[in-house]
């Protein structure tokens, strides 16, 4: 019998109902033997495996995202006009990065680019403008004034980060998930190298832009991310993790639908205890773990429309290629 992934909130596990908690856990993971050596693994799964919607075939809204509105030309033009008015009303000092961009790269500050921010915030104008302002201020900080206003290309803003790009720290798949979301893969094992965290952060910016600019459906429905976890806790870079989370949460114009951690190590719980407080309420509940044999992993991923060889990254024995 096929079993669907489930989740339990560890906060709700009380001593008073410990026996029922054990019963529930046994029904989900019948192969586990309940000795002391397994409790760390059980607790890990309770913390990081989240329940998916009962209608597992609904790949459009499997991650319970806010639905995007119908984009008629009149609606889009109206929202872009509101965007401009709201942007003009912001204090000049707060939008300093954008004002520099408007002077140095007006072609990048186009309505088409602003539309990506509106789509990210499901056309909530105030939030989209706030993200736009933060984006340009942070882009100047991350890339420096010399490169911040260059195109987000290998010979533009990334011209000094070729080595970091070639490490494949973050990659974009050639295809999309069944709902049109872009598929990315984070390979955190690359953090063990000598490339600077600043350079790896720029790679994240570069690849997220590539995913969004190449697929309009990704602008509307977001991205899903496979995560190849660290081999050793000692390789983890907390400051880099913090910068990436902050960029994804309120700066880069991307909707993170779900994060799929593949064969996570037990020490992932330590990393997540650091990261989760930095996340918003929605993102905090979009982390999923998948462990076991290839067949078991595909079965688990099938709840998200990712349970085929064509949807499984080559890193984990599938056929999905990345660039």
């Amino acid at each position: 019998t096929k079993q669907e992934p489930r989740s339990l909130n560890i906060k709700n596990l009380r001593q008073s109902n410990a026996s029922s908690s054990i019963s529930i856990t046994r029904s989900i993971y019948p192969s586990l033997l309940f000795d002391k050596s397994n409790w760390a693994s059980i607790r890990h799964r309770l913390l990081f495996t989240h329940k998916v919607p009962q209608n597992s075939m609904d790949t459009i809204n499997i991650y319970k995202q806010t639905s995007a509105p119908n984009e008629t030309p009149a609606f889009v033009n109206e929202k872009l006009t509101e965007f401009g008015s709201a942007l003009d009303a912001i204090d000049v000092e707060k939008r300093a990065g954008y004002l520099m961009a408007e002077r140095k790269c007006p072609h990048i500050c186009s309505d088409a680019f602003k539309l990506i921010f509106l789509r990210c915030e499901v056309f909530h104008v105030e939030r989209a403008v706030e993200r736009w302002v933060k984006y340009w201020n942070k882009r100047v900080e991350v890339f420096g004034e010399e490169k911040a206003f260059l195109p987000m290309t290998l010979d533009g803003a990334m011209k000094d980060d070729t080595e970091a790009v070639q490490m494949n720290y973050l990659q974009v798949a050639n295809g999309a998930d069944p709902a049109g979301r872009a598929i990315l893969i984070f390979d955190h094992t690359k953090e063990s190298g000598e490339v600077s965290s600043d350079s790896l952060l720029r790679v994240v910016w570069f690849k997220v832009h590539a995913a969004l600019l190449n697929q309009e459906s990704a602008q509307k429905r977001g991205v899903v991310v496979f995560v190849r976890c660290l081999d050793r806790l000692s390789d983890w870079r907390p400051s880099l993790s913090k910068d990436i989370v902050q960029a994804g949460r309120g700066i880069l114009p991307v909707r993170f639908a779900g994060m799929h951690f593949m064969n996570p190590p037990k020490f992932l719980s330590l990393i997540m205890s650091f990261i989760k407080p930095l996340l918003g309420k929605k993102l905090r509940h979009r982390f999923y773990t998948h462990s076991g044999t290839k067949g078991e992993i595909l079965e688990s991923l099938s709840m998200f429309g990712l349970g085929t060889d064509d949807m499984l990254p080559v890193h984990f024995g599938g056929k999905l290629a990345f660039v």
Side-chain angles (χ1 to χ4, degrees):
T1 303
K2 185 175 181 178
Q3 293 181 335
E4 295 185 1
R6 296 187 183 181
S7 70
L8 295 173
N9 188 333
I10 200 67
K11 293 180 180 178
N12 293 332
L13 298 182
R14 300 288 187 263
Q15 291 181 351
S16 61
N17 64 354
S19 59
S20 62
S21 299
I22 293 173
S23 176
I24 293 171
T25 306
R26 180 177 282 118
S27 70
I28 300 173
Y29 304 108
S31 62
L32 291 177
L33 297 176
F34 283 77
D35 58 24
K36 292 181 180 180
S37 64
N38 283 321
W39 275 108
S41 175
I42 295 168
R43 181 178 182 276
H44 171 81
R45 292 178 185 233
L46 293 177
L47 276 167
F48 299 113
T49 306
H50 295 281
K51 189 175 182 180
V52 299
Q54 291 298 315
N55 182 7
S56 60
M57 299 305 293
D58 182 13
T59 55
I60 295 294
N61 202 26
I62 194 73
Y63 300 100
K64 298 183 180 180
Q65 294 175 286
T66 302
S67 299
N70 182 29
E71 294 184 17
T72 65
F75 175 79
V76 170
N77 288 334
E78 177 186 350
K79 292 300 179 180
L80 285 170
T81 299
E82 293 177 13
F83 187 102
S85 298
L87 184 57
D88 291 340
I90 294 177
D91 185 79
V92 172
E93 292 183 0
K94 291 183 179 180
R95 54 189 169 111
Y98 162 63
L99 292 176
M100 292 174 65
E102 196 174 40
R103 293 194 305 271
K104 297 186 177 184
C105 58
H107 57 289
I108 296 180
C109 302
S110 63
D111 283 350
F113 196 36
K114 292 173 182 175
L115 181 57
I116 296 177
F117 285 77
L118 284 166
R119 285 169 171 163
C120 175
E121 296 293 354
V122 200
F123 288 88
H124 189 292
V125 174
E126 291 184 0
R127 290 201 298 260
V129 170
E130 180 181 4
R131 186 179 289 261
W132 174 268
V133 170
K134 289 181 178 179
Y135 167 90
W136 280 110
N137 289 338
K138 181 59 71 170
R139 180 161 168 164
V140 173
E141 179 183 328
V142 171
F143 289 88
E145 289 188 25
E146 180 185 348
K147 294 181 293 183
F149 309 110
L150 297 176
M152 196 64 67
T153 59
L154 288 173
D155 58 354
M158 297 299 295
K159 62 183 180 180
D160 297 324
D161 296 295
T162 304
E163 181 182 357
V165 173
Q166 293 174 343
M167 285 181 62
N168 296 329
Y169 179 61
L170 178 62
Q171 294 178 279
V172 183
N174 290 324
D177 84 346
R181 301 180 188 91
I183 301 175
L184 284 68
I185 183 167
F186 257 116
D187 188 349
H188 286 288
T189 64
K190 305 298 185 181
E191 292 184 23
S192 62
E194 297 182 359
V195 173
S196 72
S197 294
D198 289 342
S199 195
L200 290 178
L201 179 60
R202 288 191 287 271
V203 169
V204 173
W205 277 65
F206 171 58
K207 289 296 186 176
V208 168
H209 279 76
L212 294 172
L213 295 175
N214 291 335
Q215 301 180 50
E216 183 177 301
S217 61
Q219 300 172 19
K220 297 177 179 179
R221 299 195 178 112
V223 304
V224 294
V225 184
F226 284 97
V227 180
R228 188 177 188 181
C229 300
L230 291 162
D231 293 326
R232 299 181 298 271
L233 181 59
S234 59
D235 292 332
W236 179 42
R237 306 187 188 187
S239 61
L240 177 59
S241 295
K242 180 179 179 181
D243 288 340
I244 292 173
V245 169
Q246 290 177 340
R249 184 183 176 190
I251 297 172
L252 292 171
V254 59
R255 303 181 70 187
F256 282 101
M259 302 281 288
H260 297 279
F261 291 82
M262 308 297 285
N263 291 315
K266 292 181 179 179
F267 61 73
L268 179 64
S269 59
L270 298 176
I271 295 176
M272 294 309 300
S273 66
F274 171 83
I275 291 177
K276 278 200 169 186
L278 304 175
L279 301 170
K281 183 178 180 180
K282 290 183 178 180
L283 279 178
R284 200 173 296 153
H285 296 286
R286 290 180 179 166
F287 287 8
Y288 309 89
T289 62
H290 309 275
S291 302
T293 65
K294 178 181 174 182
E296 291 169 336
I297 288 174
L298 287 175
E299 180 179 353
S300 180
L301 288 169
S302 67
M303 299 294 99
F304 306 90
L306 302 171
T308 66
D309 268 353
D310 291 337
M311 290 286 100
L312 184 67
V314 294
H315 308 64
F316 310 113
K319 298 179 180 178
L320 184 62
F322 292 76
V323 295

